[in-house]
Amino acid sequence: MPDSSGLRMTQQRRVILEELAAVTSHPTADELYQSVRRRLPRISLGTVYRNLEIMAQKGEIQRIGAAGTQRRFDATTAVHYHIRCTTCGRVADLSLKPIIRLEQEAANISGFAISGHWVEFQGVCPECQDPAQA
Amino acid sequence: MPDSSGLRMTQQRRVILEELAAVTSHPTADELYQSVRRRLPRISLGTVYRNLEIMAQKGEIQRIGAAGTQRRFDATTAVHYHIRCTTCGRVADLSLKPIIRLEQEAANISGFAISGHWVEFQGVCPECQDPAQA
DNA sequence: ATACTTGCAAATTTTTTGCACTGGA
DNA sequence: TCCAGTGCAAAAAATTTGCAAGTAT
């Protein structure tokens, strides 16, 4: 049978992807819904959830670890590192060269077929370290 | 002074901590509730949530990234690495020597006061790679 | 045309909270 | 004592799902 991926590039899917790619803030499904809504007022939150889930499954986007309570997403599937402020909860990207070698090591130890990895640093951001300055 | 935290070691807190320390499965609040319940039948789910939250805040336990939908916890606060099967969702510990040097680098780049970091590898576990064998 | 997708709404699941009572230090 | 902590229950938040209608391919 033809067409194994079976995914269609609908307007909703495209806009969700575009909005996600446009920010570096690792939005939650609801945050994304709010911004997508400005372009597609009739889109539903359910559709956003469904698409994020499907695309994450297909590896087109990345589901990142819980910074807080909610699930967050990232359009950059390439391995990259995050840093989270334990005080204000902000999550930022960190331009640190990923250590791919680690994946080989992890594969050897675990027997898993490694597809990627991600790293999150925890700490207190400059603003929260010095409240007066903020 | 000895204890500025103001935390009391209640029976509930102690049992939650013990049960969490007894497993390596990084349970969700509800899973933990189920096991704590066997020892303290009258404990409430709310209490489990409250304690996990408080202890995570105090750094006595670790809140780990969303492996799936729910928040998960880990009694080991030392930096250690996880590996998650993208097929079955299982999360396991990985005995890989943590690269503390990374924290220094991250601190230099970001200006954050780094308190820790964690790494999660994604991949397919041996069982899921070969279903017939499992 | 076919069957993947959507919007809507209801249902679930997960987490938080108010409150009066309890128990640890 | 006295206030952090608890159980309970209700509320809020987050996520999923059934279904009829819409639309990429």
Side-chain angles (χ1 to χ4, degrees):
Chain A
M1 292 295 122
D3 193 354
S4 55
S5 98
L7 286 195
R8 290 178 186 173
M9 185 46 67
T10 62
Q11 195 167 139
Q12 289 84 341
R13 192 112 78 205
R14 184 171 47 70
V15 174
I16 289 172
L17 216 35
E18 287 174 3
E19 291 296 316
L20 182 57
V23 297
T24 61
S25 58
H26 314 96
T28 60
D30 192 71
E31 287 166 353
L32 208 42
Y33 170 58
Q34 299 305 335
S35 63
V36 167
R37 227 181 172 187
R38 291 200 291 270
R39 294 173 57 187
L40 299 176
R42 303 196 56 76
I43 196 173
S44 75
L45 178 57
T47 294
V48 174
Y49 269 104
R50 262 184 302 229
N51 276 297
L52 289 174
E53 203 48 52
I54 290 173
M55 293 191 291
Q57 200 111 52
K58 295 281 176 185
E60 292 176 32
I61 64 174
Q62 196 174 19
R63 205 152 85 170
I64 72 173
T69 295
Q70 305 161 255
R71 221 175 279 182
R72 289 176 178 278
F73 298 86
D74 191 327
T76 306
T77 55
V79 175
H80 63 291
Y81 295 0
H82 300 108
I83 187 164
R84 172 167 61 90
C85 177
T86 53
T87 300
C88 67
R90 195 158 59 82
V91 176
D93 281 334
L94 195 63
S95 52
L96 197 66
K97 185 135 66 81
I99 304 177
I100 301 300
R101 167 180 62 77
L102 280 181
E103 295 189 6
Q104 185 55 56
E105 264 185 75
N108 292 341
I109 294 173
S110 66
F112 275 53
I114 308 288
S115 58
H117 77 280
W118 78 272
V119 179
E120 182 185 287
F121 291 89
Q122 293 98 39
V124 181
C125 72
E127 288 70 28
C128 290
Q129 284 176 53
D130 184 358
Q133 179 182 60
Chain B
M1 54 180 301
D3 187 3
S4 62
S5 77
L7 288 194
R8 290 177 187 173
M9 185 46 66
T10 61
Q11 195 167 143
Q12 289 84 342
R13 190 112 78 206
R14 184 171 46 71
V15 174
I16 289 171
L17 217 36
E18 286 174 2
E19 290 296 317
L20 183 57
V23 296
T24 60
S25 59
H26 314 95
T28 61
D30 191 71
E31 287 167 353
L32 207 42
Y33 169 58
Q34 298 305 335
S35 63
V36 168
R37 227 181 171 186
R38 291 201 290 270
R39 294 173 57 187
L40 300 176
R42 304 196 55 77
I43 196 173
S44 75
L45 178 56
T47 293
V48 174
Y49 268 103
R50 264 183 301 229
N51 276 298
L52 288 173
E53 203 48 53
I54 290 173
M55 295 192 288
Q57 200 110 51
K58 296 282 175 184
E60 291 174 32
I61 63 174
Q62 195 174 18
R63 204 152 83 174
I64 73 173
T69 295
Q70 304 160 252
R71 221 174 280 182
R72 288 176 179 278
F73 298 84
D74 191 328
T76 306
T77 56
V79 174
H80 62 291
Y81 296 0
H82 299 109
I83 187 164
R84 172 166 62 89
C85 178
T86 54
T87 300
C88 66
R90 196 158 58 83
V91 178
D93 282 334
L94 195 63
S95 52
L96 197 66
K97 184 134 65 80
I99 305 178
I100 301 300
R101 167 179 64 77
L102 281 181
E103 295 189 7
Q104 185 55 57
E105 265 186 72
N108 292 341
I109 294 174
S110 66
F112 275 53
I114 308 288
S115 58
H117 76 281
W118 77 271
V119 179
E120 181 185 289
F121 291 88
Q122 292 97 37
V124 181
C125 72
E127 286 71 26
C128 291
Q129 283 175 53
D130 184 358
Q133 179 181 63

